[in-house]
Amino acid sequence: MKKKVIIDCDPGIDDAVALLLALGSAELEIVAITAAGGNIAPEVGFKNICRILEHLQHKKWPPLGQGLPAAAQIPGAQEIHGSDGLGNSHLPLTKTPAPRSAPELIIKTIERNPGQISIIATAPLTNIAGALRLKASVAEEIEDLVIMGGAIEVAGNVSPRAEFNIFMNPQAAREVFLSGAKITLLPLDVTQKVIFTPEHLERIRQSEGPAAALLSRIIPHSFKTHAQFEGIRGCYLHDALAVAARVRPSLFKTRRLFVDVETRGELTRGMTVADLRHRSRTQPNMDVVVEVDAEGFLEFLIQRLSLS
Ligand code: BDR
Ligand code: CA
């Protein structure tokens, strides 16, 4: 049976790759896609979701939601993702359905499928926390939640200690982490172990399919900014790993940990604080991904995107 998923995202170049991977994975049934504020404003993210579905000529669009802006805004995200969020590709858009409220759509979708929904969150957690504030029991009514976010034992990417998705709305992240939901966290520690190179892109381009065409328009911007800001050849695809964690969990190793979020620190706002002590006094609240089979993931991605 297909796994029913809600994707909450802020496309965003790597969010777009995550969507392509999810849409190209027959194991998943995407029952809703919601846009959160993050890389771009939520209304831009919403339109970018529509642009991607339209580009793929996707037949049956799932219900789409739009949330409120994240608690913070930083101009840096537009440098990384382009002013349109999709690498300045300015993809055309002819059809925009009316957006539904993201938290309400999340709640309704879960109510219709109790115990069966996985949420894949690749953005600040504003919409998920919004749903929990309206109905705390959704934490137990979902099957699980896969979150791309945090930096456990590595430096942050927005500040010395904070990763972007958590930094943008630390209070929301804290509420989600402590909600009792079954969580798998994909932090920078593992997402930065995977580097997608121009050679990988070239292999997908050989297929001449719509996913390849989309990647050719958005990924070169990422190559440029990663060379400039990260000093690497190629780019990270953080959010795509969150989809792979749901579809191919065997590519990852996890560790049970208690992780909380610093919401107010003068220097550490948005830091994910994991209890790594040998004799910790805390009860683990999530599975943290600690290892990835980077080659295996890249092969899996190339294969899936070449067929889409
Ligand atoms: C996260 O930040 C965003 O810019 C990316 O889309 C990803 O979700 C990585 O820190
Ligand atoms: Ca994202």
Side-chain angles (χ1 to χ4, degrees), residues 10-268:
D10 58 341
I13 295 175
D14 58 329
D15 301 80
V17 180
L19 283 173
L20 288 177
L21 183 57
L23 290 160
S25 290
E27 298 88 341
L28 302 182
E29 178 189 350
I30 302 175
V31 287
I33 308 176
T34 48
N39 292 321
I40 26 68
E43 59 277 14
V44 180
F46 180 84
K47 288 195 179 137
N48 285 348
I49 295 166
C50 298
R51 287 188 171 93
I52 293 164
L53 293 171
E54 193 168 304
H55 172 89
L56 296 175
Q57 297 183 348
H58 193 73
K59 294 225 170 53
K60 210 168 157 257
W61 289 26
L64 304 178
Q66 180 182 311
L68 298 171
Q73 275 304 323
I74 52 164
Q78 298 207 347
E79 266 171 0
I80 304 286
H81 295 273
S83 60
D84 64 349
L86 293 176
N88 297 329
S89 58
H90 301 292
L91 280 184
L93 177 64
T94 56
K95 168 182 159 190
T96 317
R100 296 172 58 180
S101 143
E104 280 169 25
L105 176 58
I106 291 169
I107 292 172
K108 288 265 168 330
T109 310
I110 293 166
E111 282 173 347
R112 246 179 268 121
N113 304 275
Q116 292 177 51
I117 298 285
S118 272
I119 302 178
I120 300 176
T122 64
L125 292 161
T126 318
N127 289 340
I128 317 295
L132 286 166
R133 283 180 203 164
L134 290 173
K135 192 179 176 207
S137 61
V138 296
E140 290 103 58
E141 290 162 14
I142 55 171
E143 185 177 335
D144 66 351
L145 175 57
V146 183
I147 298 169
M148 188 282 129
I152 302 296
E153 293 188 86
V154 298
N157 59 0
V158 177
S159 77
R161 298 318 306 255
E163 180 277 332
F164 179 83
N165 287 340
I166 308 298
F167 178 88
M168 294 293 276
N169 200 340
Q171 182 58 38
R174 181 158 213 236
E175 289 171 26
V176 173
F177 283 14
L178 304 182
S179 67
K182 183 173 180 304
I183 294 173
T184 302
L185 187 75
L186 271 140
L188 292 179
D189 308 51
V190 283
T191 63
Q192 290 181 342
K193 286 194 178 136
V194 176
I195 299 179
F196 184 78
T197 65
E199 289 73 28
H200 295 132
L201 176 60
E202 194 45 45
R203 282 178 58 196
I204 299 173
R205 278 161 59 110
Q206 302 295 318
S207 70
E208 296 179 3
L214 183 64
L215 288 180
S216 304
R217 289 180 75 159
I218 64 176
I219 290 281
H221 183 85
S222 255
F223 288 156
K224 226 175 27 207
T225 55
H226 280 69
Q228 195 180 349
F229 301 119
E230 306 280 353
I232 62 169
R233 181 175 175 277
C235 65
Y236 301 132
L237 295 177
H238 312 278
D239 295 339
L241 274 80
V243 174
R246 202 64 196 79
V247 182
R248 277 279 181 288
S250 57
L251 292 170
F252 303 90
K253 285 210 175 83
T254 58
R255 175 176 172 193
R256 298 279 307 149
L257 282 173
F258 175 77
V259 186
D260 202 341
V261 179
E262 177 56 75
T263 55
R264 287 171 305 179
E266 201 181 327
L267 302 172
T268 53

